[in-house]
Amino acid sequence: MSELKGLRAVVTGGASGIGAATARLLAHRGAEVCVLDVAPRSVTEPLHGCQADVSDDASVRAAIQAAVTAMGGLDILVNNAGISAVGRVEDNPDELWHRVLDVNVLGIVRTTRAALPHLRASRHAAVVNVCSIAATAGLPQRALYSASKGAVLSLTLAMAADHVREGIRVNCVNPGTADTPWVARLLDAADDPEAERAALDARQPLGRLVTADEVAAAVVYLASPAAASVTGIALAVDGGAQGLRLRPVAGI
Ligand SMILES: NC(=O)c1ccc[n+]([C@@H]2O[C@H](COP(=O)([O-])OP(=O)(O)OC[C@H]3O[C@@H](n4cnc5c(N)ncnc54)[C@H](O)[C@@H]3O)[C@@H](O)[C@H]2O)c1
């Protein structure tokens, strides 16, 4: 498939999970792709790998410049890098609040700020932020993480308004709980990983976790010229978790 041929993309956090699936799919559809990650060792050709920490402005600027130099420009920015935090509002120290907001929110600010001059030169400029169902539904034990993703949702809308007249579209994807190494780590840390996995599956109206490839398909759609009239939206890929209210017995 070559619908994205000639387009150049950067995917932050693209060495694992949703970011890796997105980088692969962008490349499969014909785009040239550079992965920005703190640990890009697993990134293989045809993807470019670039070491960068989205919480470090100098490292982000250098990586975006290196990506633009390698690819000859930039059309698509996928802001996917993010970290988790578990707990109620009283459970996490200030240092962790600063750290998670720094990566999940300011990470997008830094990457987009560095990318904008290059996106302005593109005829198909698109930014896609990977947000979360935690931005729109109250999930237990996710106070800090949810606050960070709520900020990502609002930032997405504000950026979409600011840049629409420059021809830059900005959208976000809101995944439900997705089967990635991130969730595997959370399960490993649980007292009973099997019971925890069953509880997560059961929370989904579809009865299973979302896959990274399903989220990637939504990100790539929003990034592509096929979505040329789509800006300022949040596309949920969550197995129905946000919108559906099922009764306990299916079918009644
Ligand atoms: N997995 C889920 O259930 C789920 C649900 C909703 C939203 N999300 C969001 O999807 C995104 C990706 O999640 P995932 O499940 O694929 O996670 P993951 O842990 O599998 O991958 C995250 C990637 O981001 C990179 N990264 C982390 N901190 C970074 C930093 N400071 N700078 C650069 N790279 C960094 C990691 O090295 C890793 O490659 C995150 O923004 C997350 O909040 C995940």
Side-chain angles (χ1 to χ4, degrees):
M1 277 200 262
S2 57
E3 65 179 278
L4 301 182
K5 198 167 169 39
L7 299 184
R8 293 115 344 149
V10 161
V11 181
T12 71
S16 173
I18 291 167
T22 300
R24 281 195 303 269
L25 186 57
L26 285 165
H28 180 67
R29 300 263 173 94
E32 194 170 354
V33 182
C34 185
V35 163
L36 263 62
D37 203 291
V38 273
R41 279 186 308 281
S42 60
V43 176
T44 53
E45 285 189 359
L47 307 175
H48 304 275
C50 219
Q51 207 277 335
D53 181 342
V54 298
S55 67
D56 174 356
D57 194 51
S59 121
V60 167
R61 285 186 185 282
I64 292 285
Q65 191 52 57
V68 167
T69 302
M71 300 190 293
L74 183 63
D75 307 283
I76 294 165
L77 172 63
V78 180
N79 284 311
N80 164 78
I83 55 175
S84 165
V86 175
R88 300 167 301 180
V89 71
E90 62 195 339
D91 294 335
N92 299 133
D94 283 10
E95 293 71 26
L96 192 61
W97 276 85
H98 286 297
R99 175 68 189 153
V100 172
L101 294 170
D102 197 18
V103 173
N104 292 6
V105 185
L106 275 85
I108 293 179
V109 174
R110 292 186 188 97
T111 320
T112 309
R113 197 162 55 194
L116 272 172
H118 309 290
L119 294 173
R120 288 189 179 107
S122 165
R123 292 179 55 239
H124 297 286
V127 177
V128 184
N129 297 326
V130 178
C131 188
S132 171
I133 189 175
T136 55
L139 304 180
Q141 297 287 338
R142 293 291 183 278
L144 165 51
Y145 179 70
S146 300
S148 78
K149 292 299 182 174
V152 171
L153 176 60
S154 298
L155 179 61
T156 300
L157 299 176
M159 281 166 39
D162 282 338
H163 303 295
V164 65
R165 291 190 175 137
E166 298 180 314
I168 303 170
R169 298 182 299 103
V170 185
N171 294 288
C172 68
V173 171
N174 289 2
T177 308
D179 201 353
T180 70
W182 168 311
V183 169
R185 288 192 296 274
L186 285 174
L187 292 179
D188 285 347
D191 292 338
D192 184 346
E194 251 177 63
E196 182 69 14
R197 171 68 193 232
L200 289 177
D201 283 338
R203 190 168 70 180
Q204 300 290 110
L206 274 176
R208 62 163 176 83
L209 298 192
V210 173
T211 71
D213 286 338
E214 290 167 340
V215 180
V219 173
V220 171
Y221 163 66
L222 291 172
S224 75
S229 288
V230 183
T231 191
I233 72 147
L235 177 52
V237 182
D238 62 6
Q242 172 63 37
L244 306 187
R245 296 292 178 275
L246 301 191
R247 292 170 58 153
V249 180
I252 300 177

